[in-house]
Amino acid sequence: MKKLLLTTFGLLAFTASAFADITVTDVKGRTVTVPTVPERIVLSFYYEDYLAIVGPNALDKVVALSLSTWRDWRPNQFAAYEKALPNLVSIPDVGNTEDNTFSIEKVIAAKPDLLILAAWSYDALGEGIKQIEAAGIPIVTLDYNAQTVEKHVASTLALGKLMGTEDRAEKLAKNYEDAMADIHNRIQKAGPTDKKVYVELAQKGPGEVGNSYGDTMWGALIDGLGGHNIAKGQIGNWGPLSPEYVLAQKPDLIFLGGSEWLNKPQSVPVGFGADAALTRERMKAYLARPGWSDLPAVKSGEVFAIYHGGARTLSDFVYAQYIAKQLYPHAFKDIDPAKNIADYYDKWLPIKADGVFVLPYEAGGQ
């Protein structure tokens, strides 16, 4: 009888555990509860982070997604995933908050067990959130845009717990924490830098000034690395700086954020499928801007292309390494960011990092 009771209690405990709710606190401090591991996901952003955290067969659970912010912003990256994950092309599009095409009706029609939103998309939806929640759809917000270790880790662990892949999530979070801790340990030993840094989104060609970044993305990353971001205090999240201001600030380092944009014939191509020769050719046009030949960064050959799609991801520690390597060359002489990005993709994602992700304008640069 005693054995029978123990067995019965054990089965009851197992059953209760198996059907217990899964509850997390997301990056906006919201309590998110799902009854079981979700099997139907609507994914609005942070595509690669979702794939890395959830692991093999992650895309099989996606019943709808925001298509254009992946396919149109990162077409070569998207094409690589199409080849590796053929069912990607058949997933319905729900639109996106960036261009106000996000359809709450399509989200509800997809009958998801979970909607994954970037924090900025959650904010953009405003009262629409209530409509989604009224339909009984749980929402988890993630925030890699803030470029803080805390929010990267919190986003990763929350999603991993909800999706039943806590082990992967914990390893990814630790990988990120360890990499960033190593960067900051090296910086602390190197001592402060007085280098001024200018980042520009090199999307529209040299004739039009692209966005720089104040408190988020590249701006937050540079600030955390001890560099002096010339956009800080001039703009909030992002926006262009005046050409006169850039010239007056005399930046020591210039990073041109490039990507794989469609129909941008003067943009600096960086990322999947990019060719170093073409990347440098497009960079050269930026360096020919009025007054740029007198900038310290241009005179000393400290101009670099960096993959804009690499910011706000779990792999962005690699870009932090690259920026830090230019700020503190001696402290990071043994670090190879280009190899590290390839290694990250090999370990965590179903595609290879084939292309150019970081590149000095001068071929002999770091």
Side-chain angles (χ1 to χ4, degrees):
M1 178 63 73
K2 185 177 180 181
K3 287 183 178 178
L4 179 61
L5 286 171
L6 287 172
T7 302
T8 302
F9 284 128
L11 285 170
L12 286 171
F14 173 79
T15 302
S17 174
F19 291 96
D21 288 345
I22 304 169
T23 300
V24 303
T25 301
D26 72 8
V27 291
K28 295 188 78 66
R30 302 167 56 257
T31 299
V32 185
T33 300
V34 294
T36 60
V37 172
E39 294 296 327
R40 297 179 61 83
I41 304 296
V42 171
L43 179 61
S44 79
F45 203 54
Y46 302 131
Y47 312 102
E48 289 195 294
D49 302 302
Y50 169 80
L51 294 173
I53 294 164
V54 181
N57 305 315
L59 200 68
D60 294 343
K61 295 190 173 191
V62 178
V63 295
L65 52 69
S66 293
L67 182 62
S68 65
T69 43
W70 193 359
R71 183 193 60 198
D72 297 347
W73 289 10
R74 313 280 178 259
N76 294 349
Q77 182 193 97
F78 185 82
Y81 280 107
E82 270 190 309
K83 187 176 290 187
L85 306 168
N87 59 332
L88 181 58
V89 295
S90 62
I91 299 176
D93 177 24
V94 296
N96 69 86
T97 59
E98 182 73 7
D99 61 8
N100 298 314
T101 59
F102 191 87
S103 171
I104 292 171
E105 292 75 16
K106 287 181 180 179
V107 170
I108 294 171
K111 299 179 180 179
D113 305 319
L114 181 68
L115 168 60
I116 299 171
L117 287 177
W120 52 269
S121 289
Y122 180 93
D123 294 340
L125 285 171
E127 291 296 309
I129 292 295
K130 294 179 181 178
Q131 190 177 343
I132 296 169
E133 291 178 332
I137 299 169
I139 301 169
V140 63
T141 62
L142 312 179
D143 189 354
Y144 295 100
N145 279 62
Q147 291 296 164
T148 67
V149 174
E150 179 186 11
K151 289 191 176 182
H152 269 53
V153 169
S155 298
T156 302
L157 295 180
L159 185 58
K161 185 174 182 181
L162 288 171
M163 298 304 299
T165 55
E166 289 175 273
D167 184 55
R168 283 182 72 90
E170 287 168 3
K171 287 177 180 176
L172 278 159
K174 187 175 188 305
N175 182 64
Y176 192 82
E177 285 182 304
D178 288 351
M180 295 302 287
D182 176 67
I183 289 170
H184 289 293
N185 287 339
R186 290 168 183 262
I187 290 173
Q188 191 171 26
K189 290 178 182 176
T193 179
D194 58 1
K195 291 182 180 179
K196 293 181 180 181
V197 185
Y198 174 52
V199 178
E200 181 178 336
L201 188 66
Q203 181 186 53
K204 300 175 181 179
E208 185 173 346
V209 180
N211 286 341
S212 195
Y213 301 86
D215 300 328
T216 60
M217 295 177 59
W218 297 119
L221 205 57
I222 292 163
D223 192 46
L225 297 171
H228 301 275
N229 173 25
I230 68 169
K232 187 173 183 179
Q234 300 297 310
I235 51 179
N237 291 333
W238 52 76
L241 295 173
S242 75
E244 296 78 15
Y245 176 79
V246 173
L247 294 177
Q249 286 296 302
K250 302 184 185 305
D252 302 289
L253 300 173
I254 294 174
F255 293 92
L256 297 174
S259 193
E260 313 151 9
W261 299 291
L262 296 170
N263 304 317
K264 302 291 182 184
Q266 297 184 72
S267 67
V268 174
V270 187
F272 291 85
D275 172 72
L278 180 57
T279 302
R280 288 192 170 110
E281 181 182 320
R282 299 280 181 82
M283 292 171 76
K284 184 178 181 180
Y286 276 80
L287 304 193
R289 280 172 163 170
W292 272 46
S293 61
D294 294 326
L295 293 177
V298 177
K299 284 182 175 180
S300 61
E302 300 288 318
V303 180
F304 309 89
I306 195 165
Y307 184 42
H308 190 63
R312 63 194 187 280
T313 70
L314 275 168
S315 61
D316 64 41
F317 68 89
V318 172
Y319 303 98
Q321 289 174 339
Y322 191 68
I323 294 170
K325 191 177 178 77
Q326 316 315 322
L327 288 166
Y328 315 91
H330 183 74
F332 289 84
K333 62 183 180 181
D334 61 322
I335 297 294
D336 186 347
K339 179 181 182 301
N340 292 344
I341 192 66
D343 291 346
Y344 179 88
Y345 273 80
D346 284 344
K347 184 170 184 178
W348 296 108
L349 291 164
I351 65 171
K352 301 286 186 184
D354 292 332
V356 174
F357 299 90
V358 290
L359 188 74
Y361 173 64
E362 296 190 352
Q366 300 186 78

